[in-house]
């Protein structure tokens, strides 16, 4: 007899994942390695070890180990806010009048307000284990910086955050949360680093960008004894840690014999999407099951849908290694879209390879449509979604509406990555009718792509 599906599916303690799943182990075409911008040779563990913690370098370079045991200290931390709820969106289904079954995995149930805490605690743990004093990072919208501050406070590590200047000024409350957790927060570009001074000289009065803040954070880490740099998305290691999202979702769905037909996630650097789809994509790669995967990006920063698959810098200051990814060019400055977490010029090399090989689809959506969907979701399901997450909501609703038209009872799973409590200026501009849909022209994109590094 079919079991009744509850509104929320939780996992018992003993059902929780004990290992992260490394999707790369099941990929026939592995993602391209990070390469040294000077020599164009793959970065060695030794070179990477100057920037990142040793254990994280090992995870970054490992394309073969399928499972990584989650250390007990991290499991203990996860227990404080995981499992994240897997919710059946009965009310949204009803509001849409769709026969589709919609599920979402909600990662906004912790103080940092997003999925980023899953990797922040892991990265801080390995830094601590190595005996380091602290870590540096950048934050755009503030979610990553907040998550890392929480993790560092828990483990007693220093945390130095370079926050994109425009966010620093527009999101003072995010800044205060980070300071509450003991982090030091510097608006970027700053005069504290050589690259910051160089960028300020070239672009006085700049609002900053994620790529620029990354350059500053890396420089600070490599020039300060006992510090390493940590990054909240894009990297292989981050996708590995975020696999906990997909693993929990799969265990919960398997319990009730639920098979999602379509799995949807918003894509900034690709970490939540890569984590959510990981075990499902693994089955697809091994030929055990089939799913449709959809990456949703903002029309203002369309890396997958309008970018180029090429080696590019991860940062504006060009101090980082090159990654092969779908990119708009490290010089691309996206318009001030409100989904700050999705304003990154590149995309995870793992997801880029999968997309390139045809395992995944991608679409882009303009932000006013995203907020229209966000509002409808909030009114039906109660949760105030983050603008980033609302890209996935929009795509899930569109798929559900297609089902209403065709009568198909598809099962849709999407990642609801965070809450929108720190995004009320964005909601305000939407409600006041001031929100616009800036979409870059082909010329804009061609201009930044023309500056891609030449790698054969
Ligand atoms: C950072 C962020 C994202 C985008 O990052 P990914 O690495 O692509 O997952 C999406 N949603 C929220 C709430 C975020 O904070």
């Amino acid at each position: 007899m079919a079991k009744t599906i509850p509104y929320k599916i939780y996992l018992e303690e003993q059902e929780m994942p004990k290992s992260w799943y490394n999707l790369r182990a099941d990929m026939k075409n592995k993602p391209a390695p990070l390469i040294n911008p000077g020599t164009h040779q793959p970065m060695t563990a030794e070179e990477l070890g100057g920037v990142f913690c040793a254990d994280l370098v090992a995870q970054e370079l490992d394309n073969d180990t399928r499972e990584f045991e989650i250390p007990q200290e991290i499991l203990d931390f996860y227990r404080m806010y995981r499992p994240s709820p897997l919710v059946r969106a009965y009310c949204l289904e009803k509001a849409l009048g769709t026969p589709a079954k919609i599920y979402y995995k909600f990662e906004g149930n912790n103080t940092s307000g997003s999925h980023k805490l899953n990797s922040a605690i892991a990265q801080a743990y390995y830094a601590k284990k190595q005996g380091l004093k602290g870590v540096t990072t950048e934050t755009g919208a503030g979610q990553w910086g907040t998550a890392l501050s929480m993790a560092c406070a828990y483990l007693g590590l220093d945390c130095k955050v370079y926050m994109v200047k425009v966010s620093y000024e527009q999101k003072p409350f995010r800044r205060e949360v980070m300071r509450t957790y003991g982090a030091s927060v510097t608006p970027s570009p700053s005069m504290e680093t050589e690259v910051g001074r160089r960028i300020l000289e070239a672009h006085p009065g700049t609002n900053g960008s994620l790529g620029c803040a990354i350059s500053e954070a890396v420089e600070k880490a490599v020039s300060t004894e006992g510090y390493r740099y940590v990054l909240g998305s894009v990297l292989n290691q981050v996708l590995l840690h975020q696999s906990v999202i997909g693993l929990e979702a799969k265990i919960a769905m398997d319990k009730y014999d639920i098979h999602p037909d379509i799995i949807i996630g918003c894509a900034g650097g690709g970490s939540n999407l890569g984590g959510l789809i990981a075990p499902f994509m693994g089955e697809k790669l091994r030929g055990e099951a089939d799913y449709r995967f959809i990456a949703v990006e903002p029309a203002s920063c369309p890396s997958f849908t309008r970018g180029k698959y090429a080696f590019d810098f991860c940062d504006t200051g060009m101090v980082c290694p090159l990654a092969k990814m779908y990119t708009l060019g490290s010089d691309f400055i996206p318009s001030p879209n409100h989904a700050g977490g999705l304003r990154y010029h590149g995309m995870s090399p793992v997801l880029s390879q999968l997309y390139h090989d045809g395992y995944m689809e991608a679409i882009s959506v303009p932000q006013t449509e995203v907020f229209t969907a966000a509002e409808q979701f909030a009114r039906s399901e109660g949760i105030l979604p983050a603008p980033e997450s609302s890209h996935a909501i929009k795509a899930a609703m569109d798929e559900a509406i297609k089902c209403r038209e065709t009568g198909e009872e598809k099962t849709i799973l999407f990642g609801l990555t965070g809450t929108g409590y720190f995004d009320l200026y964005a909601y305000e501009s939407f409600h006041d009718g001031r929100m616009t849909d800036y979409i870059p022209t082909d010329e804009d994109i061609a201009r930044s792509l023309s500056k891609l590094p030449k790698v054969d």
Side-chain angles (χ1 to χ4, degrees), residues 114-116 143 233 266-272 341-342 386 388-389 417-418:
S114 82
H115 65 286
K116 295 206 171 66
Q143 288 98 319
S233 184
C266 61
S271 73
N272 87 83
L342 304 183
E388 292 88 352
S389 324
T417 51

